[in-house]
Amino acid sequence: MSEQTKKIVVMSGEKYVYLDTKTEVEASEVETAIAKRDEELAAATKEATVKEFTGYVEEYIQKEVDAYNKANGLQFRDVHSCANYKDNTDYAHQGFCLSVWNWNVAVWETARMIQASVFAGTRNLPAKDEFLAELPAFNFAG
């Protein structure tokens, strides 16, 4: 969007006038510029929302990995490092690795369904606590 578009303040009939240059433009040009700006703002808001909620999901999953690490003297970096061991039946912590990986998939799928509903307009954007409460809880009885 040009700097001139930002300086429109006076409408004269079917035209807008830039106060700084006294240049007239058609109302349709201004409406197009405003619609484009609104689309850009909506896209930026959507991107920021996705980034914010992705952080919530990653934090939610990492909390379980960290708790297991602490309880068992391990150092899994994240759920992806656990996934390296999920199929190794000889590994002492394979049960946890398999469980946390499957749970991770379920959490992301639930988060994506919530996101799709919000962006489709069928529900409001939940607060962080409400969002986390909707995600599957981790249950491992190892």
Side-chain angles (χ1 to χ4, degrees), residues 93-133:
H93 302 282
Q94 184 266 342
F96 169 77
C97 293
L98 179 60
S99 292
V100 78
W101 181 254
N102 289 337
W103 169 72
N104 164 72
V105 171
V107 167
W108 280 108
E109 287 305 308
T110 302
R112 286 184 186 99
M113 287 189 304
I114 294 168
Q115 173 186 307
S117 296
V118 169
F119 292 147
T122 58
R123 67 171 292 172
N124 291 326
L125 181 67
K128 179 182 179 180
D129 292 341
E130 295 168 330
F131 173 70
L132 294 176

Side-chain angles (χ1 to χ4, degrees), residues 75-97:
Q75 295 181 358
F76 288 117
R77 184 184 67 246
D78 55 27
V79 71
H80 298 284
S81 59
C82 293
N84 292 328
Y85 299 95
K86 70 180 177 58
D87 296 324
N88 185 343
T89 56
D90 294 331
Y91 182 56
H93 302 282
Q94 184 266 342
F96 169 77
C97 293

